[in-house]
Amino acid sequence: MWDCHWVLGGRETTLLDETTAYGVFATGGVRHDPYAIEKVTDPNGNVLYQHHADAGQKVLSPEVSFLISHILLDNNARLAEFGSYSSLVVLGKTVSVKTGTTDDKKDNWTVGYTPSYVVGVWVGNNDDTPMNQQLASGITGAAPIWNSIMSYVLKGKPDEQPSKPDDVIAMPIDAFAGGLPHGGQPTRVEYFINGTQPTSQSPVYQSEGGKDYYVFKENDPVSTDGKKPLAGWY
């Protein structure tokens, strides 16, 4: 196994660093340095070394950490891509999880966590060549291995939900365009940090000349026109 690999859309990093980073979400925004040795004793049972946990370093707010964790545990959000019972689902457990595949399928990883456990898996060729293009993907490479490990780790343990901070609220929004519910259309419930929740309907919905329109306007910093909307009536 390579000492380092590429994360999706990013740069080269070690699996240990990547798993440590995801652990920040698991702990509500606190980073803990990884360690390998818990305790060392001599033949007589005398403790020569004992690891002592510290308070860690706060690097994210509990609110942001909760929102990320909740996004990554939402199996409904990935149904179209992975189906209902993919390797990202640990039956009976609430687990936040993310996959990634780099260019040419040289690297594939899955990292998932609960408030108590973080597991990361990387697969790839140790000579830095691409994997089989038909076999390797975000869900067929590292994910089955990750699922086996996480299922074993969580076996017999109570289900753990991410702890919702008091400053995070849940509210129904328009399922199509966000914003407040619109005209009896389907809604979904989303979490927001208090003060960031929508206070009006989405500007996508507009009316003119007795007709209703969906109006999408560009908001691309690279765009040179920035004005031309895509519009259609409904």
Side-chain angles (χ1 to χ4, degrees), residues 1-2 4-9 11-16 18-19 22 81-82 87-88 97-112 119-126 128-147 149:
M1 172 177 170
W2 280 104
C4 53
H5 67 291
W6 290 85
V7 296
L8 184 65
R11 60 185 299 173
E12 197 169 277
T13 185
T14 67
L15 180 61
L16 182 59
E18 189 175 341
T19 305
Y22 274 81
E81 183 70 19
F82 296 139
S87 295
L88 304 182
V97 57
K98 182 70 179 73
T99 67
T101 306
T102 56
D103 293 344
D104 300 324
K105 296 185 178 177
K106 285 187 176 182
D107 307 273
N108 178 242
W109 54 266
T110 300
V111 181
V119 173
V121 173
W122 170 88
V123 296
N125 294 323
N126 60 8
D128 199 32
T129 58
M131 293 180 285
N132 186 303
Q133 301 295 297
Q134 282 69 48
L135 298 180
S137 72
I139 200 64
T140 62
I145 303 171
W146 173 88
N147 185 282
I149 298 172

Side-chain angles (χ1 to χ4, degrees), residues 44-135:
N44 297 319
N46 299 311
V47 177
L48 303 178
Y49 169 81
Q50 175 72 58
H51 172 76
H52 297 286
D54 58 28
Q57 178 185 6
K58 184 178 179 180
V59 295
L60 278 179
S61 72
E63 292 79 12
V64 170
S65 300
F66 173 82
L67 292 182
I68 295 296
S69 294
H70 193 268
I71 289 169
L72 296 182
L73 65 78
D74 186 359
N75 196 50
N76 289 328
R78 53 181 177 248
L79 287 180
E81 183 70 19
F82 296 139
S84 300
Y85 299 103
S86 72
S87 295
L88 304 182
V89 176
V90 179
L91 293 179
K93 307 297 182 183
T94 303
V95 182
S96 302
V97 57
K98 182 70 179 73
T99 67
T101 306
T102 56
D103 293 344
D104 300 324
K105 296 185 178 177
K106 285 187 176 182
D107 307 273
N108 178 242
W109 54 266
T110 300
V111 181
Y113 59 91
T114 70
S116 296
Y117 301 95
V118 184
V119 173
V121 173
W122 170 88
V123 296
N125 294 323
N126 60 8
D127 60 357
D128 199 32
T129 58
M131 293 180 285
N132 186 303
Q133 301 295 297
Q134 282 69 48
L135 298 180

Side-chain angles (χ1 to χ4, degrees), residues 152-170:
Y152 179 83
V153 168
L154 298 180
K155 185 177 181 180
K157 295 180 174 64
D159 183 41
E160 288 187 281
Q161 300 275 344
S163 179
K164 186 182 79 65
D166 292 338
D167 206 30
V168 172
I169 62 172

Side-chain angles (χ1 to χ4, degrees), residues 190-223:
E190 291 285 1
Y191 285 107
F192 297 91
I193 298 174
N194 196 17
T196 68
Q197 67 269 32
T199 57
S200 61
Q201 293 184 349
S202 170
V204 163
Y205 300 112
Q206 297 189 22
S207 299
E208 184 176 341
K211 292 184 177 181
D212 295 323
Y213 292 84
Y214 295 121
V215 180
F216 299 91
K217 293 185 178 181
E218 295 181 14
N219 186 22
D220 183 352
V222 182
S223 174

